[in-house]
C-alpha cells in the first residue's frame, strides 16, 4: 500500500487545496492530509479548526484522512510510513520556497520523495491569504472555498472587522 502525505497549513482549506487532494487520492492507495505549522505564518484558525474544516470537505474521499502534527514534516512522514510527499505548485511564485523545502527535506531524509502537482488553471492564482483578505474586506469567497469554509471565515473575520 502506497501512502502519500499532502502537507500544508490550510488556513483555511481552499478549492485549490481540495483539487490537489482529490487528484492525489485518485493516484495513491491512502492519503494523509497533514495540518502542520508554518513558522513564517500567523494562523487565523486554530489547528483544531483547520483540521475540522478539512475533515468535512474531504468526507467524500474514503482513502483520505486528516491529522495535525507539530514538528518536521519528514519526521511525520517516517512515523506514518509514507515515502511520498505531494504538494501543489502554483505558477512561478511557489517555486523557490518549494524547491528549498523539498531539497532540505531530501537532505534530512533521502528516502522520502517530494512530488509536485501543478494546480488546475482555474486555481493557479488562489491562496488562503488572498481569500482571508477578500472576506475581511467584505468580498464573497464562494468561488474560492467550499460553503462551510466561507461560513467559518465570515464568522471568524466579522469579530476582527468589528475589532472584538
Ligand atoms: O501551506 P503552507 O504554509 O505552504 O505549508 C508549509 C508547510 C506547513 C508544509 C511547511 O512549513 C512545513 O513542512 N512545516 C513543518 C516544518 C518543516 O518540516 N519544515 C520544512 C523543512 S525545514
Amino acid at each position: 500500500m502506497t501512502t502519500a502525505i499532502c502537507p500544508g497549513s490550510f488556513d483555511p482549506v481552499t478549492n485549490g487545496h481540495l483539487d490537489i487532494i482529490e487528484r492525489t487520492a485518485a493516484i495513491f492507495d491512502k492519503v494523509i492530509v497533514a495540518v502542520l505549522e508554518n513558522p513564517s505564518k500567523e494562523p487565523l484558525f486554530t489547528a483544531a479548526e483547520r483540521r475540522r474544516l478539512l475533515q468535512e470537505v474531504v468526507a467524500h474521499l474514503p482513502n483520505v484522512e486528516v491529522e495535525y502534527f507539530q514538528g518536521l514534516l519528514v519526521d511525520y512522514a517516517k512515523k506514518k510510513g509514507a515515502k511520498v510527499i505531494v504538494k501543489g505548485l502554483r505558477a512561478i511564485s511557489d517555486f523557490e520556497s518549494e524547491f528549498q523545502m523539498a531539497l532540505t527535506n531530501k537532505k534530512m531524509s533521502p528516502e522520502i520523495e517530494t512530488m509536485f502537482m501543478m494546480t488546475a488553471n482555474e486555481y493557479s492564482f488562489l491562496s488562503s491569504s488572498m481569500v482571508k483578505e477578500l472576506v475581511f474586506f467584505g468580498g464573497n469567497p464562494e468561488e474560492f472555498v467550499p460553503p462551510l469554509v466561507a461560513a467559518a471565515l465570515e464568522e471568524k473575520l466579522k469579530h476582527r472587522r468589528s475589532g472584538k
Side-chain angles (χ1 to χ4, degrees):
M1 184 156 99
T2 317
T3 301
I5 294 190
C6 283
S9 40
F10 301 107
D11 185 43
V13 56
T14 66
N15 289 343
H17 293 131
L18 192 53
D19 173 62
I20 297 291
I21 295 166
E22 283 172 345
R23 288 159 60 199
T24 305
I27 297 171
F28 292 92
D29 299 314
K30 181 177 166 185
V31 177
I32 304 174
V33 179
V35 180
L36 294 160
E37 294 308 325
N38 182 338
S40 58
K41 292 180 183 168
E42 177 74 32
L44 175 67
F45 290 95
T46 65
E49 288 167 336
R50 287 179 272 153
R51 181 165 175 248
R52 184 187 59 79
L53 290 172
L54 269 162
Q55 276 170 331
E56 297 201 29
V57 303
V58 302
H60 63 294
L61 301 168
N63 60 337
V64 176
E65 56 189 61
V66 184
E67 290 194 353
Y68 172 71
F69 183 74
Q70 217 171 4
L72 287 176
L73 172 57
V74 287
D75 288 343
Y76 179 71
K78 276 187 242 172
K79 189 175 146 198
K80 289 288 161 182
K83 294 213 162 17
V84 184
I85 294 165
V86 177
K87 300 193 92 178
L89 200 61
R90 289 164 305 186
I92 314 162
S93 55
D94 283 338
F95 184 78
E96 196 171 346
S97 61
E98 292 298 347
F99 187 69
Q100 279 180 337
M101 272 194 276
L103 292 189
T104 307
N105 288 337
K106 189 78 184 161
K107 200 81 188 157
M108 290 190 287
S109 299
E111 72 281 15
I112 298 172
E113 293 294 346
T114 301
M115 300 178 77
F116 291 101
M117 196 176 272
M118 296 306 295
T119 51
N121 202 25
E122 65 264 42
Y123 304 126
S124 58
F125 62 92
L126 187 56
S127 71
S128 299
S129 312
M130 192 212 66
V131 176
K132 283 182 277 192
E133 185 171 322
L134 182 142
V135 175
F136 183 78
F137 289 111
N140 182 350
E142 73 181 13
E143 282 187 51
F144 309 127
V145 293
L148 90 155
V149 176
L153 272 165
E154 185 51 41
E155 185 58 28
K156 185 73 94 175
L157 288 171
K158 79 177 178 208
H159 298 296
R160 301 237 168 161
R161 256 187 250 121
S162 61
K164 283 178 212 152

